[in-house]
Amino acid sequence: MNRPPTPLSFGYGTNGLADLRLDDALALLADLGYDGVGLTLDHMHLDPLAPDLAARTRRLARRLGELGLSVTVETGARYVLDPRRKHGPTLLDPDPDDRARRADLLVRAARVAADLGAHAVHCFSGVTPPGTDEDTAWKRLPGALTPVIEAATAAGVPLAIEPEPGHLLATLADFHRLRAALDSPAVLGLTLDIGHCQCLEPLPPADCVRAAAPWLRHVQIEDMRRGVHEHLPFGEGEIDFPPVLEALAAVGYGALTVVELPRHSHAGPHQAERSLSFLRRSLRHRSLPHRSLPQRPLPNRTTGRTSPPGSSS
């Protein structure tokens, strides 16, 4: 398919196409004109815990090549390790064996990413467990990530950790705290979720892009409102997107910008088509001055909310 050239490369997350077989999802994205895919390792697509992972990954690499799609490997599957606990276990769990299970998944993901020629492998810290104080959690996180850092380094794939509202590592400032605790490994970069910037960061999203630029390895994008962690289709939140896309292009970000709408799989094909059209239109619009809105309070950093929830991670 001939795609119109753009200064950015757009992808769509498979966590928003969970009702489609993986090959159908990839063919759809290629047909719509996407440049790539954010591949969430999960049971319905590429199961990281099922047998013959290496062989299944090789077949997928060939298919991505046939379709002309690049890829980023994402690890935000809700129940891939524990059928009862969303995103559990995490890198912060009190039980070291549980922390090791999460680290093992991320090590597997790094190997998959290398075999697919992925731009990066994504991860997150997890929520601080009940009964664990923040200082203890911050002591656990660098140790739990160390084998993952080693695996990503060996694989030659950037590890892109995501600040997530409600998690221990929730903000750009937290990312830099982790980097310092790990002595700033070269392989450790950042997943910047544009919606999360709107939700929680003190800077506007376009300024977050500029601040994060030296460490930017993966970008997720969707609409969102201040203080409410709810992934929304474009136009349903508060983000002014042309300045964000201009900032990404200006800082030379060259990897995928992946639409993340995990709660919209029931309308995944429609949202995928609509999202790409919106992003292309936004690229064509110059950023214009717009009316200043009243300053809103910064959300509670541990919940990401100043109003009732709608977390869609």
Side-chain angles (χ1 to χ4, degrees), residues 10 16 36 58 73 76 83 85 90 127 129 141 144 168 192 202 216-217 220 223 264 282 289 301 313:
F10 295 123
R58 285 194 296 271
V73 172
R85 189 160 54 118
T90 76
V127 176
L141 181 58
L168 177 71
L192 188 70
L216 205 53
R217 303 294 178 266
Q220 297 170 342
D223 217 338
H264 292 77
S282 296
R301 71 175 303 283
S313 298

Side-chain angles (χ1 to χ4, degrees), residues 30-308:
D31 186 59
L32 290 175
Y34 277 93
D35 303 290
V37 59
L39 175 68
T40 296
L41 302 185
D42 207 349
H43 67 91
M44 79 286 287
H45 289 148
L46 186 66
D47 188 339
L49 303 179
D52 301 320
L53 177 60
R56 288 183 287 116
T57 302
R58 285 194 296 271
R59 289 196 293 272
L60 175 57
R62 287 195 295 271
R63 184 60 174 150
L64 290 167
E66 291 167 358
L67 294 170
L69 294 173
S70 58
V71 62
T72 301
V73 172
E74 301 193 354
T75 59
R78 295 185 183 97
Y79 296 101
V80 68
L81 291 177
D82 188 332
R84 296 176 180 268
R85 189 160 54 118
K86 180 182 174 183
H87 296 316
T90 76
L91 296 167
L92 307 176
D93 276 26
D95 187 336
D97 289 340
D98 282 342
R99 297 198 297 274
R101 288 176 61 207
R102 174 60 62 174
D104 176 69
L105 174 69
L106 298 178
V107 167
R108 288 170 180 255
R111 293 171 183 157
V112 167
D115 290 344
L116 293 178
H119 295 298
V121 59
H122 150 277
C123 68
F124 48 75
S125 69
V127 176
T128 302
T132 298
D133 63 84
E134 190 170 303
D135 286 344
T136 299
W138 272 108
K139 290 174 183 174
R140 287 176 187 163
L141 181 58
L145 264 182
T146 295
V148 186
I149 295 285
E150 293 170 352
T153 301
V157 178
L159 180 67
I161 194 163
E162 178 184 7
E164 182 87 21
H167 284 209
L168 177 71
L169 196 152
T171 65
L172 291 174
D174 294 331
F175 167 71
H176 291 297
R177 177 174 178 176
L178 176 65
R179 284 184 65 248
L182 288 165
D183 294 326
S184 303
V187 78
L188 182 63
L190 180 70
T191 293
L192 188 70
D193 187 304
I194 301 302
H196 295 173
C197 295
Q198 177 69 20
C199 177
L200 195 61
E201 294 285 353
L203 294 174
D207 288 344
C208 288
V209 169
R210 287 182 278 270
W215 304 277
L216 205 53
R217 303 294 178 266
H218 180 39
V219 172
Q220 297 170 342
I221 194 165
E222 69 285 315
D223 217 338
M224 203 168 286
R225 301 186 185 99
R226 184 70 169 164
V228 184
H229 184 201
E230 181 178 9
H231 291 229
L232 298 171
F234 297 117
E236 296 185 15
E238 300 170 339
I239 299 175
D240 184 15
F241 283 96
V244 174
L245 299 179
E246 288 177 5
L248 286 168
V251 302
Y253 175 70
L256 285 173
T257 298
V258 174
V259 179
E260 189 183 24
L261 292 174
R263 293 287 177 93
H264 292 77
S265 278
H266 63 283
H270 167 72
Q271 291 295 346
E273 182 174 12
R274 180 181 179 276
S275 296
L276 188 57
S277 295
F278 179 94
L279 290 169
R280 286 176 171 167
R281 287 197 307 274
S282 296
L283 274 175
R284 292 194 294 267
H285 283 79
R286 294 180 62 85
S287 177
L288 298 174
H290 58 283
R291 180 175 57 88
S292 297
L293 298 175
Q295 186 68 30
R296 292 188 173 198
L298 185 67
N300 183 310
R301 71 175 303 283
T302 61
T303 63
R305 295 176 186 153
T306 56
S307 56

